[in-house]
Amino acid sequence: MQEGPGEEEVETKRPAGPRAWIAESKDHPAATAALVFCIAGGTILAGALIPESISLPRRLLGGAILGGLSWLLVMVGRLIDGE
């Protein structure tokens, strides 16, 4: 369909890279806060509960990864549905 003389084409371009992450976090502040809470909570719990035979950096990194994955498990339905 062609545009009339007074109509402008609306361009909805999303940013890419880290700017896209910032834009998405502004659009969904509750989900972003939940992600940060899960990662921080996983890091703290792993540092405190995993045996000291595993080095501290590995415990913290593992806790952060598992915290992020626990958030993803809860949010995957919303991510797939696009809400």
Side-chain angles (χ1 to χ4, degrees):
M1 193 178 226
Q2 294 183 354
E3 296 178 11
E7 298 177 26
E8 294 180 15
E9 185 177 325
V10 177
E11 190 173 317
T12 57
K13 187 176 182 182
R14 297 289 291 182
R19 293 168 70 194
W21 297 344
I22 295 170
E24 287 297 321
S25 67
K26 287 180 182 178
D27 290 345
H28 307 285
T32 303
L35 175 62
V36 170
F37 177 76
C38 286
I39 290 174
T43 303
I44 293 167
L45 287 173
L49 299 176
I50 293 178
E52 292 185 13
S53 61
I54 299 173
S55 68
L56 182 63
R58 286 185 181 188
R59 287 186 283 164
L60 297 179
L61 182 62
I65 290 171
L66 289 176
L69 288 175
S70 67
W71 173 85
L72 185 63
L73 214 97
V74 173
M75 297 299 288
V76 73
R78 293 183 181 263
L79 293 173
I80 291 174
D81 289 341
E83 293 180 12

